[in-house]
Amino acid sequence: MSKKGETPKVQKSEAELQREKAERERKQRYEELEAAFKRAYELRREFIDKYTFANARANISEIVAFLVCMGLNDEINYTLPREDLDKLVCGGEPLGSSYEEIRDYIESVEAAKWLLAISWLLCDNEDLNCFDYYGRYEENENLNLIYEFLEDIGYEMSDDERELIDGTHPMFENV
């Protein structure tokens, strides 16, 4: 019996309690996977950031092939993130916005590094992952192509990244 002014406590059924528990677990798994894929993105970004002009020049065919492949597969973003481009290619200095300013700057540096940074920025982002709403593994061909390209030009995928990409990561267990 409840006191005057108190709302009576509603007993939840066992099924409701199980659904709430399952939803909490789903959210936690989703957030953990999201964080793991964001860490993987940061590793890829760091690789591109530190990639040398000489290496980019030596791998120009691979860079162009990657860009063409992603374009043919309709996997290219339609805008370049300005701040990211400035950081990856200009050392954080803002690049001009006119054709002439950009052309002059590119002529003063190594264009292959530009092509690498632009190709990667057009195709990769921190939201790419291999899981669904429930945290179940789903193959992501776009992400596979990005990793194939990066490994082709010298990237070494961590064990954690490999497990995330192929669905063998422990976070995918029991889903």
Side-chain angles (χ1 to χ4, degrees):
M1 187 169 173
S2 63
K3 297 179 184 177
K4 189 176 180 179
E6 261 184 27
T7 52
K9 292 185 180 180
V10 178
Q11 293 289 342
K12 293 183 180 181
S13 71
E14 186 63 32
E16 287 175 306
L17 292 172
Q18 288 289 41
R19 277 193 300 273
E20 288 176 359
K21 179 182 178 198
E23 179 60 14
R24 280 192 307 275
E25 289 172 354
R26 183 207 64 78
K27 281 182 181 178
Q28 181 179 356
R29 183 174 43 257
Y30 188 94
E31 288 169 1
E32 288 172 358
L33 283 165
E34 191 174 53
F37 276 96
K38 285 186 189 296
R39 284 191 303 273
Y41 170 79
E42 288 304 319
L43 292 172
R44 297 189 305 271
R45 180 188 174 86
E46 183 178 313
F47 174 77
I48 296 296
D49 188 36
K50 292 181 178 179
Y51 208 71
T52 66
F53 292 121
N55 284 341
R57 190 178 323 109
N59 289 295
I60 195 71
S61 295
E62 290 82 358
I63 296 167
V64 171
F66 171 68
L67 186 57
V68 170
C69 177
M70 297 303 274
L72 291 174
N73 288 308
D74 199 27
E75 295 294 346
I76 293 180
N77 299 321
Y78 294 98
T79 59
L80 282 171
R82 178 61 184 244
E83 186 176 303
D84 289 336
L85 183 62
D86 289 343
K87 286 179 186 173
L88 288 173
V89 182
C90 305
E93 292 296 319
L95 175 66
S97 58
S98 74
Y99 170 75
E100 185 177 293
E101 289 172 310
I102 293 169
R103 185 199 64 220
D104 290 347
Y105 186 83
I106 289 174
E107 286 177 355
S108 73
V109 296
E110 178 59 55
K113 173 72 179 205
W114 272 85
L115 185 59
L116 172 64
I118 290 167
S119 299
W120 181 74
L121 286 170
L122 285 170
C123 300
D124 200 353
N125 67 70
E126 67 180 6
D127 295 324
L128 288 178
N129 61 56
C130 296
F131 64 94
D132 67 7
Y133 174 81
Y134 298 100
R136 294 179 297 219
Y137 174 74
E138 285 187 340
E139 184 174 12
N140 183 325
E141 189 58 36
N142 185 20
L143 200 50
N144 288 340
L145 287 170
I146 290 168
Y147 274 111
E148 182 181 350
F149 162 65
L150 292 175
E151 286 185 310
D152 201 31
I153 64 169
Y155 185 76
E156 292 184 26
M157 196 183 310
S158 71
D159 291 342
D160 203 45
E161 286 173 287
R162 192 163 307 284
E163 291 173 351
L164 287 168
I165 297 305
D166 67 16
T168 59
H169 198 282
M171 284 191 268
F172 290 121
E173 292 175 5
N174 304 318
V175 181

